[in-house]
Structure formats: C-alpha cells, structure tokens
Amino acid sequence: MMKFDMKTKDLQQDNVGKIEALFHEVVTETKDEKGNIKKVVDFDKLRQILSDEIVEGPRERYGLNWVGKKEALYNANKSTSKTLRPVKEESVNFENTKNIYIEGDNLDALKIIQESYLGKIKMIYIDPPYNTGKDFIYKDNFKMNKEEYDKKSEIIDEEGNKLVQNTESNGRFHSDWLSMMYSRLKVARNLLTDDGVIFISIDDHEVHNLRHLCDEIFGEDNYVTEFAWEKKKKPSFLHRNVGKLNDYILCYVKNALTSKAFSVETTTEGKKYPFNNAGNGLTTLTFPAGSVKFNMPDGVVQPQDMSEGAIITRLLDTVHISNGRNSNSFRLEGEWRYSQTKLNEIVANSEEIIISKIPFRPNHVKKGGEVKKMKNVLSPVHYQMETNEDATQQLVDLFGVALFDNPKPVKLLKYLIRAVTYDTSDAVILDFFSGSATTAHAVMQLNAEDGGNRKFIMVQLPEPTDEKSEAHKADYINICEIGKERIRRAGEKIKEEFLEKYEKELEKLKKEENKLIQDEETQEKIKELEEKIENIKNLDTGFRTFKVDSSNMKDIYYTPEELKKENLKLFESKIKEDRTDEDLLIQIILDLGLKLDLKIEEKNINNNKIYIVEDNLLVAYFGQNIEKNLIEKIKEIKPLRVVFDEKAFKSDSTIINLEEEFKKELPDTEFVVF
C-alpha cells in the first residue's frame, strides 16, 4: 500500500545523488541530528576536481588518506599537451590491424587516449608493481623524497624539528604507491563501458589499501570480488608464519546495475540441479500450476512432512497430478538454493522442473548452453589454472629463455577475458601495465579459439632491463622490446598451430565424406572447419606501435601572446622540425576523439598528398598552396571532417571563403584549420 509522507521531494539528497552520478568519489557519509546516516558532498574534494590548481582544505575525512593524495587527484585531472607518434617500423600490419601498442608513461597515455576511448573499453586488466618497498619506475611529479614526505605529513616543521612520532616507518612507500595508482585508476575508470570491468592483480602488501582506493574510485556497490589465484605449484616459505600459494585479483565493475554474470563455461544439457540445499534458511516456494513434471503416476498427494536425514521439506498444499503435471499451484517449505524470483525465472523460461517420487525433491533440469557463473578461486583444481611456472615456460617456448620475472600465464588472462566478453566478441581490452604482453597473447589466443574479434591496447613504459638479466643478454634493452616481440612470435605461433590442427581435422573428414557422400552431419562439420581455417588466416595478430612524445606543435602555438616581433621569422612554422605528416594526422585523430585503429589511406592527387581516414570519416591535407583541383577531389570524397594547415592558404579571407563553400556544398562536413 502506498502512503504519502506529506513532504516535498528532498532536493538536497536528490542533488547529492546527481553529483554522485558524475563524481562518485566526492560523496561521503555523515550523521544527521537524529543519528541517521546520510550522504553528503565533500566540497573540498569537489573543488579539487573542478580546479586546475591544488586546493587546500581540512585533512580529516572518512576514507583512505595519505600524504600526496591531493596532488595525485590534481595530477589525474591535469591536462597534457603530449601526443602519440606512430612507429610503423616497429609495428606489424600497421595498415590493417586494430590492435594498439603504446610505449611510454601510462598516465600520459591514458590521458591522451581518453577522448578517443571514453566509455569504449570493455575490460581493463593491470598487473601493477606490488610495492615491496623498492623505488618505482613511475616517477610522477608528485613523487616525494623522504624530506618532502616528512614535511607534508607534519612529521617535521620548516626548521626541521620533529612534530609527531613516525610510527609508520615505511609510510613514504605506501604514499608513493597509492598516489601512483590513484591518478591512473581515476583516469582509467572513464574509459570503461557502462558494463565494463577492471581486474587488478596484487599481492597482500597493498591489497587492503587497493580495496579502499577502488571503493573510492569505482564505488563500494561496484565491488565484485577478490579472486584468489594460486600462482605456485609449491608454496613459498619466505614468510615466517605461513607458506604462500596465492595472489589476488581485485575486481570492480563500472556499473553493477548493467553488468552481467561472469562466465567461462556453460551448463550441460540435461544436468540436474537440486532445489534443496541443506543448511540454508527455511523458506517457502510456490510452484505455479503446470510448472512441475512428475515422473510418477497421476493422482493426489496430501500435505505432509517430507523431511529425511539432513533434508527438510514440507508439502503445505494438496497436489493434483494430471497428465504428469501439477494441475494446481502448491507450496513447499524447505532449505532452498533458489529464491522465489529465481523459480519464477525458470518457469518463465520454460525450463524443466522434475519431481520423481515422494518425498518430493524438485530438480532443475538445464537445457544446456546457459551461462554458468564462474568461481572466484583460480587454481589447478578450479579451471585447471596455470601458475607462474607455466607462465615462465610459455616465455621459454617463445624465446628459448625466460626473459621476464613473474609473468602471468596466458590461461589466467584468457579466462578473465572470456568471463566478461563471452557475449561481446568485438570488445576492446586494455592493459596499461602490460609488461611482457601476456594480455595481448591471451586476446589473440581466445580469438583463435572462439572466432572472436577482440582488440587489445597495451601500454608499457620502456623500463630498462637489468644488465645482468637474460633479457639484456639477449639484446632486449627494455621491457617494451620484449612485449612487442612476444606479440609477434605469439601471433605467428597461434596461427601456425591452429591452421595445422584444423587442416588435419579437415583432411580426415574429407576422407570420411568420400565414404559417406550422403552424410549431412559430416558435410556440415567440413563447412564449419573451412570457416575456422579462413578465420585463422584472417586472425588479427598485428599491432600499431605508438610512442608518447611531446606535442607536435611548438610552445608558441599554445602561447602566441608571448611571440615578439623580432622573433617572428623563427616561428614561420608552428610545427616542430622533426615531425612528419603522419605525426600530425595521429594528433588530429586524437584531438577529434577518433580511435587509433581506424583505416588510414594515403593518396596522391597531382603530387599533393592527402590522408583519408576510414573511407570518408576524415580527410587531411598538410601541404602548402592548396589548388582548386585538389579541393574538388576532396569534395568528391564527401568527408565528414576536413582538416587543413593554415599555411595552405594565402590569407584569412581565403580560409573563410573556402569554409563557406564547404557549408554550401557539403553542409554535413566539419571544416577544421589549425
């Protein structure tokens, strides 16, 4: 029954809700005058998000705090003028591939691709540094030394006098690590689709802090689970108390309301799942008329206690069985694994419920092929999961030597990817701590297995390899070189192995077909194998390599007011001398919020080079003195966007006239001059 509370809508809480939808991390909890918990806005944090400067404010807040948090938030929101430069010679099938490899700092890379991939990444997996007390490679501008940390945390004052006892001797490392992770996760969240998922590998040094951090960034309601991954076949006994076997994979979704069940397997046709589950709380289920198939004679069954052993079941209504079905609805009290809502779903889906005898023990019979929720334990027992030893062997199989410390196994990543993309075969997978590029390997492997068309984006800092390492001895100077070479070798190996497998199966079936010409099932299998072979031949195992670099434009392009007349000749070109037309094109693609995997065609018209992106999505010309003939050829393409360098025009009036010309003839074309 609906009741009126005789109050107008609580606009304050409604407005807080709207702000929470935009900036989840600025909403926290407090108590009203009656002691009830209510949501409120942390205005200091909101001010920081909306400010382009560091905002000072009260330090005490509910939530995870550390020295440098404000700087990390500021750094996450701070814009960058950096860009990506294409490196064709380090790419594979640059013209046609949809996969991306970015070399450079991952915070810069995430900011650069943010507009292009906003809300387009289905899954993120990262394996960040585990913070065991060593210095970090990711030295952001908020990275503090010991003295800076002590001052900011008020351990010492400006004169060097100690203010409070430093009981957290290693706090500096926690703060550095949290700042590094906070800014990157903050930007990364924006890239996820509404039903997107993030997986973060971590050990027990920071798992507790990471959980708090992710609660703030993604929201407690969007926490899924802490997967336990059994990473070793034999435990490590370095800890004084226990032998450690597992690490963790923390998982959050972008929006719990739109996310689906994680699944790596489906139900088996005809498999029975009992309704009874001893130990659960007693509840009553109502079975609608005709919903149950009885494998017993027609008749009437009176209400009675049907409990036996540990199973409690009580029939509360008379059941009339006619033509093998219940002609009336009835209730059963018991300890059930299913809720009434789930029972109603089973009935609505016309799935089978069977009772074979008295006492009643209802079973849900699966049609087969339904999604089966995955377990949160990933071990050799569950899913025959691979370990660190397997991962090392996989690198040895590719390179002949173990080039990387503690790599993740392909099967681990393949299962995580499958779990969230089984119904999205063209999903984009991002890994911005890509290391040896296991994630890229897993994407290609899974696509080969199920015919999917998933794409990957790998991001990795070119961290130098240790001079004493096997990698350095094999002439791999940095981690990026290992990752890119792994993708090349893994792609070739996957194609080779699957083609060999399917071609052998096809040859065998064709021999059987000669004997059984009329066997339609065999012919269907032959057709299926031929399609698989074609898919493997077309499998995308390439990648476009990009490197994070400073803007293609000279500083004066961003601050023209600083240009002095006497220096005018020095800046006849606003573009840096070492930059190419391809560099400019990629920066324009990014500035327009277009994806990096679009088809790019270079065309020569009367010795004038133009770039055509994705047929007619964009046409760009970076030359000088644009000719009428070239303009007409560009119009014939009917581009949605056309971009020119202003140096192609003699005067501003020429630009204005051409823009008006485009508006008249191609009103849907966006005209851009830089």
Side-chain angles (χ1 to χ4, degrees):
M1 181 178 66
M2 180 179 174
K3 295 181 69 175
F4 291 103
D5 59 8
M6 305 303 288
K7 294 180 180 177
T8 59
K9 190 175 183 180
D10 187 345
L11 293 177
Q12 187 270 337
Q13 283 295 290
D14 187 50
N15 288 333
V16 169
K18 291 176 182 176
I19 292 174
E20 185 179 22
L22 292 172
F23 309 111
H24 193 285
E25 64 272 29
V26 308
V27 176
T28 185
E29 297 171 351
T30 188
K31 288 184 178 181
D32 61 18
E33 62 276 9
K34 296 181 180 178
N36 299 316
I37 296 292
K38 63 181 292 187
K39 291 183 176 181
V40 293
V41 174
D42 182 338
F43 288 101
D44 291 320
K45 193 174 290 184
L46 181 60
R47 285 171 61 213
Q48 181 62 77
I49 282 180
L50 300 177
S51 175
D52 59 359
E53 298 178 351
I54 296 173
V55 177
E56 296 297 330
R59 286 190 175 87
E60 292 186 356
R61 282 280 184 270
Y62 167 74
L64 178 65
N65 288 298
W66 65 90
V67 177
K69 184 175 182 179
K70 284 184 178 178
E71 288 90 338
L73 178 58
Y74 169 74
N75 208 54
N77 292 327
K78 185 180 178 182
S79 63
T80 180
S81 62
K82 291 185 179 181
T83 189
L84 299 180
R85 298 180 68 187
V87 190
K88 288 187 176 181
E89 62 272 19
E90 295 180 21
S91 306
V92 175
N93 193 18
F94 189 95
E95 289 73 19
N96 301 309
T97 186
K98 297 292 185 181
N99 300 316
I100 306 296
Y101 190 99
I102 300 174
E103 187 172 326
D105 183 274
N106 52 16
L107 182 56
D108 288 330
L110 290 171
K111 288 181 179 181
I112 292 167
I113 69 171
Q114 186 168 203
E115 284 303 311
S116 297
Y117 290 90
L118 190 69
K120 293 174 182 168
I121 304 294
K122 173 69 175 184
M123 173 185 152
I124 296 173
Y125 168 81
I126 56 172
D127 182 16
Y130 282 6
N131 192 23
T132 54
K134 297 178 182 179
D135 288 333
F136 298 107
I137 275 299
Y138 293 84
K139 297 182 186 296
D140 298 317
N141 59 11
F142 52 75
K143 174 83 166 61
M144 291 170 287
N145 60 32
K146 181 72 165 58
E147 291 71 28
E148 289 171 327
Y149 173 82
D150 289 347
K151 284 184 179 180
K152 283 188 174 288
S153 57
E154 297 185 354
I155 292 172
I156 58 174
D157 60 19
E158 293 297 327
E159 285 73 41
N161 300 311
K162 195 159 184 145
L163 299 177
V164 296
Q165 184 179 2
N166 182 17
T167 56
E168 188 181 1
S169 60
N170 207 33
R172 179 166 59 97
F173 293 114
H174 285 293
S175 294
D176 287 345
W177 190 86
L178 287 166
S179 291
M180 179 192 73
M181 292 299 294
Y182 186 69
S183 54
R184 286 158 175 79
L185 290 175
K186 184 78 171 58
V187 180
R189 181 186 179 275
N190 299 332
L191 303 180
L192 287 172
T193 59
D194 198 41
D195 61 347
V197 184
I198 184 168
F199 297 97
I200 309 172
S201 282
I202 196 69
D203 71 353
D204 46 14
H205 281 91
E206 293 287 357
V207 66
H208 53 298
N209 284 332
L210 183 61
R211 175 79 183 270
H212 286 302
L213 196 69
C214 289
D215 279 347
E216 179 173 322
I217 294 171
F218 296 97
E220 291 181 62
D221 294 343
N222 295 318
Y223 168 71
V224 177
T225 191
E226 236 173 59
F227 286 93
W229 169 53
E230 196 169 314
K231 66 175 182 176
K232 292 178 177 287
K233 292 182 171 70
K234 295 180 180 179
S236 169
F237 290 100
L238 296 176
H239 194 279
R240 70 173 64 185
N241 302 117
V242 295
K244 292 186 178 181
L245 274 173
N246 70 288
D247 274 348
Y248 306 96
I249 301 173
L250 204 58
C251 179
Y252 283 76
V253 293
K254 176 82 170 284
N255 187 341
L257 297 177
T258 56
S259 66
K260 302 183 180 75
F262 294 2
S263 177
V264 295
E265 55 190 346
T266 54
T267 58
T268 305
E269 183 179 358
K271 187 170 182 179
K272 295 180 179 179
Y273 293 83
F275 272 69
N276 297 88
N277 191 31
N280 283 1
L282 275 175
T283 56
T284 299
L285 292 179
T286 300
F287 293 80
S291 63
V292 180
K293 179 182 177 182
F294 286 86
N295 291 335
M296 51 191 289
D298 288 355
V300 177
V301 181
Q302 298 296 337
Q304 58 187 284
D305 190 341
M306 293 183 168
S307 304
E308 274 186 0
I311 297 177
I312 299 172
T313 311
R314 299 185 184 94
L315 176 61
L316 304 181
D317 302 299
T318 301
V319 179
H320 297 272
I321 304 171
S322 177
N323 296 320
R325 294 274 175 181
N326 56 310
S327 59
N328 64 307
S329 66
F330 66 93
R331 294 170 298 153
L332 280 176
E333 183 185 41
E335 300 165 318
W336 308 117
R337 72 171 66 244
Y338 293 146
S339 65
Q340 185 66 49
T341 301
K342 179 62 178 176
L343 170 57
N344 294 341
E345 285 179 12
I346 292 170
V347 174
N349 292 334
S350 301
E351 297 173 29
E352 201 74 86
I353 301 171
I354 293 177
I355 293 176
S356 299
K357 61 179 182 179
I358 299 173
F360 288 176
R361 298 289 181 263
N363 282 287
H364 174 209
V365 182
K366 295 285 188 179
K367 290 180 178 179
E370 299 105 330
V371 166
K372 190 175 181 181
K373 285 183 185 176
M374 75 182 299
K375 307 175 184 72
N376 69 345
V377 176
L378 306 170
S379 71
V381 175
H382 298 287
Y383 309 118
Q384 295 78 53
M385 188 50 62
E386 294 170 340
T387 62
N388 270 147
E389 293 94 329
D390 297 311
T392 299
Q393 186 58 49
Q394 287 161 5
L395 284 180
V396 172
D397 291 343
L398 284 174
F399 292 93
V401 64
L403 297 179
F404 206 83
D405 294 332
N406 302 313
K408 294 297 182 286
V410 173
K411 195 171 186 179
L412 174 66
L413 272 297
K414 189 176 71 173
Y415 267 50
L416 294 178
I417 296 166
R418 179 189 289 169
V420 299
T421 66
Y422 57 86
D423 62 346
T424 318
S425 62
D426 61 347
V428 181
I429 315 300
L430 168 66
D431 183 343
F432 55 88
F433 285 95
S434 69
S436 67
T438 304
T439 303
H441 190 159
V443 169
M444 295 186 296
Q445 182 78 26
L446 185 56
N447 283 342
E449 290 177 2
D450 67 5
N453 190 31
R454 302 168 187 85
K455 300 112 180 166
F456 63 75
I457 301 176
M458 300 292 105
V459 184
Q460 177 59 44
L461 189 73
E463 178 183 346
T465 54
D466 191 294
E467 292 184 4
K468 297 178 181 179
S469 67
E470 293 295 331
H472 200 85
K473 291 174 185 176
D475 292 329
Y476 293 101
I477 306 304
N478 62 55
I479 291 176
C480 291
E481 292 183 1
I482 298 173
K484 285 179 284 190
E485 184 60 21
R486 180 187 188 161
I487 300 171
R488 295 185 192 105
R489 296 189 183 204
E492 290 177 4
K493 185 178 180 182
I494 289 167
K495 278 191 171 183
E496 183 181 305
E497 289 179 347
F498 275 87
L499 278 175
E500 183 180 0
K501 174 187 174 185
Y502 291 148
E503 284 172 351
K504 281 184 177 179
E505 291 178 13
L506 181 61
E507 184 181 356
K508 183 180 177 182
L509 276 175
K510 283 188 173 180
K511 287 179 180 178
E512 293 179 8
E513 185 192 27
N514 292 332
K515 299 174 184 177
L516 304 167
I517 301 297
Q518 303 303 318
D519 189 347
E520 291 184 8
E521 184 179 345
T522 302
Q523 291 176 3
E524 189 62 37
K525 287 180 180 177
I526 288 173
K527 184 179 178 182
E528 184 180 321
L529 276 171
E530 288 174 340
E531 288 177 357
K532 286 183 176 180
I533 289 171
E534 194 61 29
N535 286 338
I536 295 299
K537 288 180 179 178
N538 295 324
L539 183 67
D540 188 357
T541 56
F543 58 93
R544 288 182 175 180
T545 299
F546 298 92
K547 292 188 179 181
V548 175
D549 206 334
S550 60
S551 171
N552 296 308
M553 317 307 285
K554 294 176 180 176
D555 291 343
I556 201 67
Y557 177 78
Y558 299 102
T559 55
E561 68 279 0
E562 295 179 10
L563 181 61
K564 296 179 180 178
K565 287 184 179 180
E566 58 267 28
N567 294 328
L568 194 60
K569 286 190 176 180
L570 297 175
F571 297 101
E572 288 180 351
S573 173
K574 57 186 174 291
I575 300 165
K576 293 176 180 174
E577 283 74 14
D578 65 335
R579 302 308 164 96
T580 66
D581 288 350
E582 286 84 357
D583 292 333
L584 291 175
L585 179 64
I586 294 303
Q587 183 158 10
I588 285 167
I589 284 173
L590 290 165
D591 287 350
L592 291 174
L594 304 177
K595 294 196 297 181
L596 289 167
D597 63 357
L598 299 175
K599 182 177 72 175
I600 298 172
E601 179 186 359
E602 183 180 315
K603 198 169 183 179
N604 195 295
I605 300 175
N606 297 332
N607 295 320
N608 291 302
K609 184 169 58 176
I610 66 169
Y611 292 93
I612 305 171
V613 178
E614 204 71 17
D615 297 328
N616 73 333
L617 189 61
L618 165 68
V619 171
Y621 174 68
F622 304 118
Q624 299 184 24
N625 304 321
I626 189 166
E627 300 170 357
K628 183 68 175 176
N629 183 13
L630 180 59
I631 292 172
E632 294 305 316
K633 290 291 184 182
I634 290 174
K635 288 179 185 177
E636 289 175 10
I637 299 170
K638 296 182 179 178
L640 296 178
R641 300 174 182 86
V642 61
V643 178
F644 299 104
D645 185 340
E646 64 180 2
K647 69 185 180 185
F649 304 97
K650 295 178 180 179
S651 64
D652 289 345
S653 61
T654 309
I655 296 174
I656 294 169
N657 291 336
L658 184 58
E659 184 177 12
E660 290 301 317
E661 195 176 309
F662 266 87
K663 282 181 182 178
K664 182 179 178 181
E665 297 181 36
L666 297 170
D668 295 328
T669 297
E670 183 180 354
F671 187 91
V672 182
V673 174
F674 70 97

